[in-house]
Structures are given as C-alpha cells and as structure tokens.
Amino acid sequence: MIELRGRTKFAVVEPEPGLSILKHAIKYKVDWGHMCKKGTCAKCRCFVSEGNEYLDGITDEEWDRLEPEEFEQGYRLACQAVVKQGAQRIVAVNKPYF
Ligand code: FES
C-alpha cells in the first residue's frame, strides 16, 4: 500500500507500478502540490519515510532540482518518483519548500 499525505488529505492506496507518486495522489484526489509535472517547480517535493526501495532511481531532473543531502534524507520529487513492480509499503508526505 502507499500512504499519501497531501496538504489536508490523506489516502492509503494500492500501488500501481509505472505510475509516479504524484499520479497516485491525483488519481485518488489527495491535494498534493504540483505545477509542472516535469521536475522543475518542486511543488510536488515529498518526504518518503518508508519504501524508497520501491521507487525507481533518482532522475536527472531531480538531481538538477534538489540537493544531494535531500536525497539522503529521503526527499524526492513526486512527479519523478515512479513506483516499481512488486512495490509494498510506501509512505510519502508532500513537503514543498513553501
Ligand atoms: S510537479 Fe513540478 S517538480 Fe513535480
């Protein structure tokens, strides 16, 4: 399952491999910040407290937009973080800079 915590809404949803965290949030009507959907605005930035291993690797767009320490801490861009096949528990909270 994926736990998604948006600005005011929370949902626990079935993981769909190939979909990004942001696409899950939109599909399940979680109020998750986003604008560009291509890795530049960082409105979709999120903290992944569990299940980072079930997400595809960090994209070039994320390396350009976030700092290396943020990845170490567990931050990703939800529009870039795609759920892998066989994903189990993922917990993500929308944490934009402002
Ligand atoms: S929606 Fe803009 S970086 Fe993800």
Short mmCIF file of all heavy atoms in Angstrom, two decimals, residues 22 34-44 77 79, ligand 1:
data_model
loop_
_atom_site.label_atom_id
_atom_site.label_comp_id
_atom_site.label_asym_id
_atom_site.label_seq_id
_atom_site.Cartn_x
_atom_site.Cartn_y
_atom_site.Cartn_z
N LEU A 22 3.05 11.23 -7.65
CA LEU A 22 2.11 12.32 -7.95
C LEU A 22 0.89 11.81 -8.68
O LEU A 22 -0.24 12.20 -8.38
CB LEU A 22 2.80 13.41 -8.77
CG LEU A 22 1.90 14.58 -9.17
CD1 LEU A 22 1.36 15.31 -7.95
CD2 LEU A 22 2.63 15.54 -10.09
N HIS A 34 1.53 20.58 -7.03
CA HIS A 34 2.22 20.31 -8.29
C HIS A 34 1.91 21.41 -9.27
O HIS A 34 0.87 22.07 -9.16
CB HIS A 34 1.83 18.95 -8.88
CG HIS A 34 0.39 18.86 -9.28
ND1 HIS A 34 -0.61 18.65 -8.38
CD2 HIS A 34 -0.20 18.95 -10.48
CE1 HIS A 34 -1.77 18.60 -9.02
NE2 HIS A 34 -1.54 18.79 -10.29
N MET A 35 2.80 21.63 -10.20
CA MET A 35 2.54 22.56 -11.29
C MET A 35 3.05 21.98 -12.60
O MET A 35 2.29 21.67 -13.49
CB MET A 35 3.21 23.93 -11.03
CG MET A 35 2.36 24.81 -10.11
SD MET A 35 3.17 26.33 -9.62
CE MET A 35 3.66 27.01 -11.18
N CYS A 36 4.38 21.80 -12.69
CA CYS A 36 4.98 21.46 -13.98
C CYS A 36 4.84 19.99 -14.38
O CYS A 36 4.77 19.67 -15.55
CB CYS A 36 6.45 21.83 -13.95
SG CYS A 36 7.41 20.78 -12.83
N LYS A 37 4.84 19.10 -13.41
CA LYS A 37 4.83 17.64 -13.62
C LYS A 37 6.05 17.15 -14.40
O LYS A 37 6.02 16.07 -14.98
CB LYS A 37 3.54 17.19 -14.33
CG LYS A 37 2.29 17.47 -13.53
CD LYS A 37 1.07 16.93 -14.25
CE LYS A 37 -0.20 17.31 -13.53
NZ LYS A 37 -1.38 17.10 -14.35
N LYS A 38 7.10 17.96 -14.46
CA LYS A 38 8.29 17.51 -15.20
C LYS A 38 9.59 17.73 -14.44
O LYS A 38 10.67 17.73 -15.02
CB LYS A 38 8.33 18.16 -16.59
CG LYS A 38 8.36 19.65 -16.56
CD LYS A 38 8.39 20.20 -17.96
CE LYS A 38 8.61 21.71 -17.89
NZ LYS A 38 8.67 22.34 -19.18
N GLY A 39 9.47 17.98 -13.14
CA GLY A 39 10.68 18.02 -12.32
C GLY A 39 11.34 19.37 -12.17
O GLY A 39 12.50 19.43 -11.77
N THR A 40 10.64 20.46 -12.45
CA THR A 40 11.29 21.76 -12.30
C THR A 40 10.71 22.64 -11.20
O THR A 40 11.45 23.39 -10.56
CB THR A 40 11.25 22.56 -13.63
OG1 THR A 40 9.92 22.64 -14.09
CG2 THR A 40 12.10 21.90 -14.69
N CYS A 41 9.43 22.57 -10.91
CA CYS A 41 8.84 23.52 -9.94
C CYS A 41 9.08 23.12 -8.49
O CYS A 41 9.07 23.98 -7.61
CB CYS A 41 7.35 23.70 -10.20
SG CYS A 41 6.32 22.30 -9.67
N ALA A 42 9.23 21.85 -8.21
CA ALA A 42 9.44 21.30 -6.86
C ALA A 42 8.22 21.43 -5.94
O ALA A 42 8.33 21.18 -4.75
CB ALA A 42 10.68 21.86 -6.19
N LYS A 43 7.10 21.83 -6.48
CA LYS A 43 5.87 21.89 -5.65
C LYS A 43 5.46 20.51 -5.16
O LYS A 43 4.77 20.37 -4.17
CB LYS A 43 4.71 22.47 -6.47
CG LYS A 43 4.88 23.90 -6.84
CD LYS A 43 4.21 24.78 -5.84
CE LYS A 43 4.24 26.23 -6.30
NZ LYS A 43 4.31 27.14 -5.17
N CYS A 44 5.85 19.49 -5.89
CA CYS A 44 5.45 18.12 -5.55
C CYS A 44 6.46 17.44 -4.62
O CYS A 44 6.30 16.26 -4.29
CB CYS A 44 5.32 17.30 -6.82
SG CYS A 44 6.92 17.00 -7.62
N LEU A 77 11.06 14.13 -5.76
CA LEU A 77 10.00 14.87 -6.45
C LEU A 77 8.95 13.84 -6.84
O LEU A 77 9.25 12.87 -7.56
CB LEU A 77 10.56 15.57 -7.69
CG LEU A 77 11.55 16.70 -7.42
CD1 LEU A 77 12.08 17.26 -8.74
CD2 LEU A 77 10.91 17.82 -6.58
N CYS A 79 6.55 13.81 -8.87
CA CYS A 79 6.24 13.62 -10.29
C CYS A 79 7.30 12.77 -10.98
O CYS A 79 7.07 12.27 -12.09
CB CYS A 79 6.08 14.96 -11.01
SG CYS A 79 7.59 15.94 -11.12
S1 FES B 1 5.21 18.91 -10.36
FE1 FES B 1 6.83 20.29 -10.69
S2 FES B 1 8.56 19.24 -9.95
FE2 FES B 1 6.97 17.79 -9.76
#
